[in-house]
Amino acid sequence: MSRVTPTGGADPSAVGPDPWLLRVRGAVLLAACADALGAPFEGLAAVDVAAVDHLLETPPPLRWTDDTALTLALAEHLVRRGGDVDQDELASAFAAEWAAGPDLGYGAGVAAQFARIVAGESWVATSQEAFGGTGSYGNGAAMRVAPVGLLPGLPLAEVARRARRSAQITHAHPLAQDGAVAQAVAVAVAARSRQDTPIDTDLFLAAVATRLRTPQFRSALSIVRVLARRRATPGQIAEAVGNGVAAVESVPAALAVFLADPQRPHDVVRSAIQVGGDTDTIAAMAAAMCGARCGEQGLPVLWGLRLADTRRLWQVSSALAAVDSDRSGGRRPSTRTDQH
Ligand code: AR6
Ligand code: MG
């Protein structure tokens, strides 16, 4: 809010950035940094901590991968549609994003789906037919979903509904869809959390769990609750919930890393990479939660300077923070709402 000067005019120097915009930028930029920082370690069972620290502190540019590319595609879609998810249009947007840069590290199954969509097939068929008809249980729907949780003032039930609709396009398996719902709701709750108050882990996880459909995902969250309370190490987290590309492993792993130390973006990213396995995606998801809580102010300065291809990230953050969610079933923006 602008201050009024003694002469009655608005003091432009007193106009601060919109607090919700800072949360959106924090989530989008930190997740892109984490995606890039985690990528060199993807697939390693054991991550060398010294190598992680070296990469975190040295100057080379941070080049993001498919996680961020599809996050941008989804964010731009939400902006175009006033916060809504139009599944046909979003399927085309995802496939076009893949076609523009197919070498960014996409999962094999989802890449095959995008190729079929580009060739004119319906996402309804390609999604359901993946992996012999079981549908993908990968974390690809969760890794791109943060923008749904960053729509201003959207009720959490609506965040969950739109997250699931965005997932269905490529991930027909219920565990992948629960992964996307969990990630989007976690980002939304983190973005609404008061920065001067510690996160209540039980309330936070209850807000997520209540929107899930599978008992398997809910029981993974009950393990996260124990891990977060114990402030578990990355190794303990990998041991307890897994670190693989399956959404039911990597999303709980990201939640456990974030909840163990939600105030420190640098340490959250460092720990997430140390979990091993799907490092770029676990780091990007934990970073989206942490950036949504800590805001742009929490972004390590060196990482911000190293981050490559930032133009779309900045543009879409501003546009996303300005979406009028009222028009698509939301309410007015606020950063000071309850945690659930
Ligand atoms: N049966 C067997 N394996 C499966 C199944 C299934 N039903 N579903 C998934 N997989 P995909 P994503 C395995 O291709 O979810 C990038 O590296 C299978 O090995 O649907 O978008 C990102 O950084 C398959 O190749 O793509 C993320 O780490 C893999 O899970 C990740 O890929 C990924 O599923 C996102 O992958
Ligand atoms: Mg990955």
Side-chain angles (χ1 to χ4, degrees), residues 268-292:
V268 163
V269 173
R270 182 174 185 263
S271 297
I273 297 172
Q274 285 182 56
V275 169
D278 196 358
T279 48
D280 59 339
T281 303
I282 295 172
M285 293 190 295
M289 298 172 207
C290 186

Side-chain angles (χ1 to χ4, degrees), residues 5-267:
T5 63
T7 52
D11 172 6
S13 68
V15 180
D18 166 16
W20 189 262
L21 173 59
L22 293 176
R23 304 287 191 125
V24 175
R25 279 196 199 138
V28 170
L29 296 172
L30 190 68
C33 291
D35 170 19
L37 288 162
F41 303 97
E42 190 175 13
L44 299 179
V47 174
D48 176 8
V49 184
V52 175
D53 284 338
H54 181 71
L55 184 65
L56 296 187
E57 308 308 339
T58 49
L62 297 178
R63 301 200 182 285
W64 41 262
T65 74
D66 60 315
D67 302 49
T68 304
L70 290 185
T71 301
L72 281 168
L74 176 50
E76 289 165 356
H77 172 81
L78 292 170
V79 168
R80 271 197 306 278
R81 304 293 305 188
D84 252 338
V85 171
D86 177 312
Q87 290 178 306
D88 293 337
E89 194 182 300
L90 184 55
S92 300
F94 283 152
E97 188 70 36
W98 165 80
D103 300 327
L104 288 177
Y106 286 89
V110 88
Q113 290 187 52
F114 290 146
R116 289 175 63 184
I117 292 170
V118 168
E121 290 192 54
S122 156
W123 64 267
V124 179
T126 56
S127 179
Q128 281 169 4
E129 288 166 14
F131 297 99
T134 53
S136 172
Y137 55 60
N139 56 21
M143 75 185 185
R144 69 190 183 212
V145 82
V148 175
L150 297 170
L151 287 167
L154 200 62
L156 294 184
E158 195 57 24
V159 169
R161 194 182 74 86
R162 294 182 200 189
R164 196 172 293 280
R165 282 173 57 75
S166 75
Q168 285 163 346
I169 293 165
T170 46
H171 290 70
H173 199 289
L175 286 173
Q177 294 179 15
D178 267 359
V181 170
Q183 173 68 12
V185 172
V187 168
V189 177
R192 287 157 173 74
S193 64
R194 289 183 57 133
Q195 290 167 330
D196 58 1
T197 308
I199 284 184
D200 181 323
T201 301
D202 289 353
L203 276 181
F204 190 102
L205 288 172
V208 174
T210 188
R211 268 98 200 172
L212 302 181
R213 293 190 181 162
T214 61
Q216 199 181 335
F217 218 107
R218 279 206 203 96
S219 52
L221 288 198
S222 55
I223 301 172
V224 170
R225 184 163 166 259
V226 177
L227 293 168
R229 283 187 165 181
R230 282 193 201 147
R231 304 192 73 201
T233 64
Q236 290 168 335
I237 291 170
E239 173 91 26
V241 292
N243 60 11
V245 73
V248 74
E249 295 189 15
S250 40
V251 177
L255 272 163
V257 168
F258 166 64
L259 289 171
D261 196 4
Q263 295 298 122
R264 284 205 266 266
H266 180 280
D267 295 352

Side-chain angles (χ1 to χ4, degrees), residues 82-83 151-155 162 322-333:
L151 287 167
L154 200 62
R162 294 182 200 189
V323 167
D324 182 358
S325 299
D326 274 348
R327 292 180 50 208
S328 59
R331 56 185 159 74
R332 293 309 308 154

